[in-house]
Amino acid sequence: MVSPAHFIALSVILFVIGAVGVLVRRNAIVVFMCVELMLNAANLAFVAFARMHNGLDGQLIAFFVMVVAAAEVVVGLAILTSIFRARRSASVDDANLMKY
Amino acid sequence: MTGSVHSALMPQAAAALTTYHATGIQDAAGLLLAFPLAGAAILLLGGKRTNSWGHYVGVAMPLLAFAYGVAAYVQMLGYPAAHRSRELTLYQFIDVGRFQVPLGLQLDQLSICFVLLITGVGSLIHIFAVGYMSHDPERRRFFGYMNLFLAAMLLLVLGNNYLALYAGWEGVGLASYLLIGFWQYKDSAAVAAKKAFIANRVGDVGLSLGIMLMFAQFGTVTFQGVFAAVPSASHGVVTAIGLLLLLGACGKSAQVPLQSWLLDAMEGPTPVSALIHAATMVTAGVYLIVRSAPIFDLTPDARLAVAIVGAVTLLFGAIIGCAKDDIKKALAGSTMSQIGYMMLAAGLGPAGYVFAIAHLLAHGFFKAGLFLGAGSIKHEMNEEVDMRRFGGLAKVMPITWVTFGLAYLAIIGIPPLSGFFTKDPIIDAAFAKGGTSGALLGTAALIGAGITGFYMTRVMLMTFHGERRWDDTVHPHEAPPVMTWPMIVLAIGSVFAGGLLIVDNRLLNFLGPVTGVPPTRHGLWTWSGIVALALVVVAFGIAYALYGRREIPVTAPAGSPVTVAARKDLYGDAINEGLLMRPGQWLTRLSVFFDNRGVDGLVNSLAAATGGSSGRLRKLQSGFVRSYALSMLVGGVLLVGALLLVRL
Amino acid sequence: MSHHMLLAGPAAETTRVLAYWVLAVISVTSALGMILARRAVHCAMMLALVMLSLAVMYVELGAPFLAFVQVIVYTGAVLMLFLFVLMIVGITAADSIIETIRGQRLWAALGGIALLVLLSLVIGHAAIGPSPPATAKFGNGNLNALAQLLFTKYVFPFELTSALLITAALGAMVLAHRERTGPKPTQRELAARRIASGRPTPLPGPGTYAQHNAVDMPALLPDGTQSSLSVSPVLSGPTPDVSDYPEGLPEGSSEAEPARLASPAGSAGSADSGGQEAGDQW
């Protein structure tokens, strides 16, 4: 029997994997992908909760999350290209001018 | 005793409080201030382009003011005695709610005496200065300052309220500072100017506190208002006001304990010494006391303090005058001493006010004459002031010798010259005060008269008689007429002023409505006058034995401890340093130390701690986004964990 | 018709459990692969796999609309955008294995474990029962129900998302816009540059003398040889023969060596050598 708890557990696992990925990867595009993974994990939890509570609000929130994620990706990738254009590097560690 | 005198004089003093509006010529009394003020403005603002004719303006303005003063005096003589006090308001000086101070002028018998002295002697000294300063490239500036001084001094004596008096008081202080330091490239002159300014500040604080106390108590600072309110004030308040005014007078008139600046003030050009530091400004303290007569009439304690200060100073100055080899400093000691006489007289109350003013006026003539003589000598001797290098000048500078000699005879009190007429009544009045204090004050005044005879004879002998002791490089001869004529006029004044004022009680009758009338004196010759004259003759003999018969060494001999002390101004500077300067410096050092170690230490260590910890903490700002993300993750975990701990 | 309606009974239940576990394993494996793969392209492919798995799960959870949005918008558009940017940045770019920030991996691992434990605790603590019976909202009526909710209760946030999207589009345009640093070349400058390039004439068109009228067919020179200049380097194969182009033409023309070997002798050679010299200068 598959209960919402299964999906939520999966969501937790994916979220943690995404979080660790953000921390360990240096390629900015991959970092973005990890962020997307975290958002997807959250979405899964929302949808599972919606099913659990027998309401559609969770699904709608997931929908909004997707919209926001799309906007974030567009702007983030634009930033990325301009950084790449200036520094010839997509590594997040190279963009460290704002420091002590 | 004072009570009876006081009550006897009150009606007359009250009559003096009635003032009338000035009319006619007197209505333009503002001109008295305007003339010298315009001169100062033209000369100081006009700059170099007035260099060639500036001194003519500088001389013309005091002469115009003098002419106006004479006209106003003549008009005043036309009024009956009780109607001679005239007022006019120039404009509203301060207009703040209840606090109304009009800038008003008061022409009465007392102020007209001062106006005539200031503008008359002032004009003569200005004329003298044309010759004396002829070689100075800054002569224009000098005349600008001198005119500024005249304007301030006239405001001082003409103001009908204490605030206007105070404004003039500060103005003459400023002019004095500027003129003492006129040759500011000389260190000694610059230091002397600052010394005079600071010493005067001490006195000015007293005066300003006195005025504030008046306002706090009576709500007014006009002479009329204060004098009308003062009888109803408590004895303590009146005494406090009197003592504060005395402090102000001590500062301006170089009385003990604020005497130290006057001797150094001789660093200024000699006409300055003659006008400001002998004839007029230093007598402002006496004017203040006499003008405040209604206050002092009510407080015998403050009056006694005034008399004591005067007596101490007259001995103090006389002793200093005996030891100085610098002719101007010897005369400065003499000035202190003579003002001491005036203060002593003023401290005797209505019995002495008139004689204080009489001596002040006579002193204005003979001391100005003495200083101009000294200036004339200094001018011819290549700025030499050491009397040990003079000697035998009587032959080469006969006019200076005669005028100086007449002023000398006047100051030591040889009849029938001025000093005899004006000094003896003071000694006489001191003894007449009665009691121990009267005897002590009178004795001091008598001794002072004797010492005056000694040190003035010493100056005379060392300067004009005996062998010539100057170098061959110096070729003294008589000064030009522009310098000798003022000296001659002043010498005439020295001879006749005292007699004119005292004989037939002329000044007494004139000033009586303002200052009160002293007990009638019978005859010119009193026993104290005869004793004083005898003392002067003895002193002359001693001085002649010491300086007339013997060779005078060019370098000063070691001398007795008293001489050494007198040369050092009786340790006035040392006392100031020991009592005020050193503790002040210690206090300053202590504050600096506390400021550096305590306040700054606290602030600096706080700053260092903040800076140091920031320096370490900022290393966290590595610029690596991933580090920041890690902190966020850890922070989030901790937050959620904490929430869970609370909730579970 | 919903899946739930179709798949009923014990057999359907078994299928459902099986599907969940298969998808769960696939998605977790792919997610791990994504953070472990060195090449960014591989990461993107792994992410696509995760997203598609999630889309299937959405269907299982009664959200067919979201499932389609997940596939079309997320996997189809967003991920493709990633791939485009990857092409700009360099498709071959690979991360170095060496960690440069000291202790970052250790702490990341510890933080991850802590997060996992914490979230597990939360979920384990919560009482999550079985799903209630699905209503029409989770089946065929899903789209209608969502639309109703979106345009009533959530209409204001919905409108706000439009503002967000416009702002994002503008932001992306501004950020990606490249500012012209020098003045725009004038006609005269362009002409002078063209004369100086050594080839004032236009390049030969493709297939001018050829049998085939296609852009990938090179033109024939008078001596019968083919002019590589007539074909766009993009179309000319894996090793584009671009060296014959004079400077100022598309990037990558620096690979001159093969062109020199391929360039024919004769009259065409002179023209080629001119371009070659220009290329050397560049």
Side-chain angles (χ1 to χ4, degrees), chain B residues 195-209:
Chain B
K195 188 177 178 183
F197 202 70
I198 292 167
N200 268 297
R201 287 282 78 66
V202 179
D204 294 350
V205 168
L207 178 56
S208 58
L209 285 178

Side-chain angles (χ1 to χ4, degrees), chain B residues 238-505:
Chain B
V238 178
T239 307
I241 292 174
L243 291 177
L244 287 169
L245 293 181
L246 172 62
L247 182 60
C250 283
K252 197 56 84 190
S253 293
Q255 300 295 293
V256 175
L258 297 175
Q259 83 292 353
S260 63
W261 64 272
L262 184 63
L263 291 158
D264 289 339
M266 297 301 129
E267 286 293 340
T270 308
V272 173
S273 309
L275 178 61
I276 298 182
H277 303 122
T280 56
M281 185 190 86
V282 287
T283 60
V286 181
Y287 170 78
L288 179 66
I289 305 284
V290 175
R291 174 56 84 191
S292 307
I295 297 173
F296 282 94
D297 284 346
L298 293 173
T299 166
D301 299 334
R303 236 172 33 229
L304 185 62
V306 174
I308 291 170
V309 163
V312 169
T313 310
L314 81 87
L315 291 175
F316 201 96
I319 293 169
I320 291 174
C322 293
K324 290 290 176 186
D325 290 331
D326 179 331
I327 182 168
K328 285 181 68 181
K329 291 202 171 179
L331 291 177
S334 161
T335 304
M336 276 167 64
S337 177
Q338 298 305 313
I339 298 169
Y341 274 106
M342 299 170 209
M343 292 293 272
L344 170 60
L348 297 174
Y353 291 140
V354 173
F355 302 123
I357 299 301
H359 193 53
L360 192 156
L361 296 175
H363 174 257
F365 283 101
F366 58 67
K367 187 52 63 68
L370 288 172
F371 265 109
L372 291 194
S376 165
I377 295 162
K378 186 182 169 192
H379 189 66
E380 297 301 326
M381 298 291 284
N382 286 355
E383 301 299 310
E384 180 64 71
V385 288
D386 187 355
M387 292 187 292
R388 292 183 184 280
R389 295 188 170 277
F390 291 169
L393 284 173
K395 292 190 190 70
V396 289
M397 301 175 76
I399 299 175
T400 306
W401 177 62
V402 170
T403 56
F404 197 96
L406 286 173
Y408 153 74
L409 293 175
I411 193 174
I412 62 174
I414 300 295
L417 280 70
S418 294
F420 168 76
F421 289 107
T422 57
K423 199 190 288 178
D424 281 350
I426 296 175
I427 303 171
D428 198 30
F431 280 114
K433 183 176 186 294
T436 322
S437 64
L440 284 173
L441 292 172
T443 312
L446 264 183
I447 295 171
I451 303 177
T452 306
F454 174 78
Y455 69 73
M456 284 312 301
T457 309
R458 175 174 173 269
V459 168
M460 197 69 196
L461 292 174
M462 285 176 84
T463 306
F464 290 101
H465 300 276
E467 294 295 311
R468 52 167 284 192
R469 296 185 297 278
W470 67 80
D471 296 335
D472 290 335
T473 54
V474 190
H475 305 289
H477 49 82
E478 194 52 77
V482 73
M483 288 166 74
T484 51
W485 275 108
M487 287 155 62
I488 293 167
V489 174
L490 285 172
I492 294 169
S494 308
V495 173
F496 297 111
L500 284 174
L501 293 170
I502 296 299
V503 175
D504 291 344
N505 291 336

